[in-house]
Amino acid sequence: MPPAPDPASPPGTSRSTSATIQPNILWYLVTVTDERGIDVRPLLEQVGLNETVMRSAALRVSYRQGSAVIRRALELTGDEHLGLKVGAAQHLTAWGLLGFALMADDTLRHAIETGVKYQNLSGAMVVWSADTGEEDRAFVLRADLPDPAMDPAIAVFLIEEALASVVTLSRLAVGPAFAPRVVEFACPPPRRSDPYGALFGCPVRFGAPANRMVIDPAWARARMPGRDPVTYASTLELLDAQLASRRHQQDLLEVLEISVAQSLPVVPSFAEQARRHATSERTLRRRLADCGTTYETLVEGVRRERVEQLLLRPELTLRDIARRAGFSDERALRRAVRRWHGTSPVHLRERMRTDRL
């Protein structure tokens, strides 16, 4: 099982330390780096993940565990397109029961929508959404980061991996000729963009408003070769049971934490969160108590994670960090860091930089 939470962490949980993700990406990262003669298994060991543990179907890893391995793998390989390669190496079988459901689905569009619905069971480290675009009724698949302040290198890796895996799995499902109409990345243009065009087989744009893939209606309607309504329906029953077993606790915390992280520096009120969940404040407070935490503790955990991420960016002043993390001023930031780490933000920044060397 993953290592126990850091006893120095505040009570409750944080999306960074909560184990919510299936380790599919990390398994394929091992495969891709193995081909280059680079063994990242010691990195997995460092965050409490050995090969025996990772074979467990019940295993979930945290964003902090996953990000630590990905960051180090990027440093070891020096490959700015590592995310593309990990996404291109994947198979539907890696998604387990969900992959089986996608193969039995009716059309490519419906299979992608099924994947979006059950994304919490797929090992995704991004937040997926899908809709019909405004132009020619094209099908649009969008990938958002769970935390906009994520380390930029890890953010690029996750978006690359996410969109590359969709194209790869779509070609395995409906044929190698599949290509999106366009793929857009919110990140700045890389030094070399040719690997993107080679993989996606379509125009690729950078500096876009969102990370998304536009699929022509004809491809969206393409029939899945293995479609089987009976198998699909029975598999969905099992997926629904899996989803329900996690939804009551972990998913609630994850959704709330992502909501707070994406809203910072403004923190949504507890009443607003209750409205979003179509429940009363009393009921939501009780559900959080059942998870062993409170909304205030959850917000504190997200802010702590945001501050730690921002301290790693040398171009940001303490005033910048205080503002982006939702603190009233630098003094409030200093008090919070002292409470969390027993030291000042300046000393914590120095320590964190040293630890990364």
Side-chain angles (χ1 to χ4, degrees):
M1 296 298 292
D6 182 351
S9 298
T13 186
S14 118
R15 184 189 60 267
S16 174
T17 55
S18 299
T20 60
I21 308 158
Q22 287 186 322
N24 301 351
I25 293 176
L26 301 185
W27 265 129
Y28 280 103
L29 183 60
V30 170
T31 301
V32 170
T33 52
D34 271 352
E35 294 173 353
R36 296 174 168 222
I38 298 174
D39 185 5
V40 298
R41 289 173 184 82
L43 305 180
L44 297 174
E45 294 274 1
Q46 289 174 14
V47 296
L49 300 171
N50 58 43
E51 291 197 47
T52 301
V53 168
M54 289 185 66
R55 289 193 184 100
S56 169
L59 175 67
R60 297 294 183 272
V61 299
S62 70
Y63 271 93
R64 179 163 292 177
Q65 287 173 306
S67 297
V69 175
I70 291 168
R71 180 184 294 110
R72 188 62 179 138
L74 287 167
E75 293 169 354
L76 288 173
T77 62
D79 187 350
E80 65 176 342
H81 302 303
L82 189 60
L84 292 180
K85 296 177 176 65
V86 172
Q90 297 185 27
H91 301 280
L92 278 166
T93 51
W95 291 15
L97 198 59
L98 177 56
F100 193 57
L102 301 185
M103 289 187 285
D105 213 330
D106 185 39
T107 64
L108 178 61
R109 170 176 180 153
H110 201 270
I112 292 175
E113 289 174 335
T114 299
V116 169
K117 179 180 179 181
Y118 295 100
Q119 60 185 287
N120 287 344
L121 301 176
S122 71
M125 291 181 72
V126 299
V127 181
W128 290 107
S129 59
D131 202 356
T132 301
E134 297 178 358
E135 302 176 8
D136 338 350
R137 307 292 293 171
F139 183 53
V140 179
L141 180 64
R142 174 169 169 159
D144 289 306
L145 296 169
D147 187 340
M150 182 179 289
D151 182 320
I154 295 175
V156 170
F157 174 95
L158 292 180
I159 296 299
E160 283 184 352
E161 182 279 331
L163 295 177
S165 67
V166 171
V167 167
T168 299
L169 299 179
S170 295
R171 287 172 181 156
L172 291 173
V174 297
F178 170 79
R181 175 186 297 177
V182 65
V183 172
E184 296 178 336
F185 288 88
C187 62
R191 287 176 296 176
R192 290 180 54 231
S193 60
D194 50 298
Y196 293 86
L199 174 63
F200 293 111
C202 69
V204 179
R205 301 170 185 158
F206 297 92
N211 303 294
R212 65 177 202 154
M213 176 184 299
V214 181
I215 300 174
D216 282 321
W219 274 120
R221 293 192 299 267
R223 304 295 293 273
M224 299 292 282
R227 60 188 179 277
D228 185 323
V230 175
T231 299
Y232 177 75
S234 60
T235 307
L236 252 56
E237 287 184 12
L238 297 175
L239 290 171
D240 285 333
Q242 287 185 11
L243 206 55
S245 68
R246 298 183 58 213
R247 185 174 292 144
H248 296 300
Q249 291 190 357
Q250 194 63 65
D251 284 357
L252 171 65
L253 299 178
E254 186 176 356
V255 167
L256 286 173
E257 288 165 345
I258 289 175
S259 172
V260 173
Q262 292 183 331
S263 299
L264 283 179
V266 177
V267 176
S269 69
F270 189 70
E272 183 179 352
Q273 296 286 19
R275 286 195 298 272
R276 292 179 183 179
H277 285 77
T279 189
S280 68
E281 293 182 48
R282 181 178 179 182
T283 298
L284 182 57
R285 190 170 289 110
R286 185 179 66 248
R287 291 181 63 191
L288 286 171
D290 290 341
C291 298
T293 191
T294 65
Y295 185 58
E296 292 74 20
T297 299
L298 185 146
V299 170
E300 180 95 341
V302 173
R303 272 181 163 168
R304 173 178 173 170
E305 182 184 349
R306 177 63 58 87
V307 168
E308 291 170 355
Q309 291 171 338
L310 295 176
L311 282 171
L312 290 171
R313 298 175 58 179
E315 76 276 12
L316 297 179
T317 66
L318 292 186
R319 178 180 296 179
D320 294 332
I321 293 171
R323 176 174 49 81
R324 295 190 186 197
F327 290 98
S328 56
D329 53 33
E330 291 179 51
R331 287 179 298 176
L333 171 66
R334 290 192 184 96
R335 287 194 297 269
V337 171
R338 178 75 62 177
R339 184 171 65 251
W340 298 332
H341 295 279
T343 189
S344 70
V346 172
H347 288 156
L348 177 62
R349 171 178 261 174
E350 293 174 354
R351 190 173 76 199
M352 292 170 68
R353 287 178 182 170
T354 300
D355 289 344
R356 292 190 67 184
L357 296 178

